Amino acid sequence: MLRTPVGERRLDILEWLKDPVTHFPPQRHADLVEDGVGEDAIATKLGVRRHVARTHLTLLADLGLLRVRRIRRRAYYRRDEVRIAEIARMFEKGW
């Protein structure tokens, strides 16, 4: 799923969210590290519309790779490092 051209975008999102301060501008109502990055900023960085970015983000959140926090009717996304480490261990063991 992550090795398709669309999957590369998802891998990009995961990579950017490792260090959101480097990859995204400051946000008005949410801290990039503590709260996560908003859909608009991710969509802009991907060069797509918000609903396209939301599709990628929702899939990653449904897989447990991202955590979602809602602030003022907006969704902010950050990596779930524990879940990502669990999945990496599964692949290392030859899942």
Side-chain angles (χ1 to χ4, degrees):
M1 175 184 66
L2 294 173
R3 292 188 182 179
T4 66
V6 171
E8 287 181 26
R9 286 187 164 183
R10 294 178 188 137
L11 288 173
D12 288 341
I13 292 168
L14 288 171
E15 187 64 31
W16 296 332
L17 292 178
K18 274 186 187 178
D19 186 8
V21 174
T22 300
H23 295 284
F24 298 97
Q27 301 173 129
R28 187 173 181 185
H29 298 292
D31 181 84
L32 288 168
V33 176
E34 294 296 318
D35 302 317
V37 179
E39 292 173 345
D40 290 338
I42 294 170
T44 300
K45 185 128 176 117
L46 283 172
V48 298
R49 293 180 183 227
R50 187 182 339 153
H51 73 277
V52 175
R54 185 181 302 132
T55 300
H56 293 303
L57 294 164
T58 299
L59 177 75
L60 291 169
D62 288 347
L63 290 171
L65 301 175
L66 297 180
R67 289 188 175 198
V68 184
R69 183 168 187 185
R70 297 213 174 266
I71 301 172
R72 299 182 136 209
R73 291 189 233 153
R74 294 194 185 261
Y76 296 87
Y77 296 84
R78 63 184 177 94
R79 290 168 50 109
D80 185 337
E81 297 297 344
V82 172
R83 178 72 174 142
I84 291 170
E86 289 173 357
I87 291 171
R89 278 193 300 276
M90 285 191 298
F91 281 107
E92 286 172 1
K93 291 180 181 179
W95 179 15

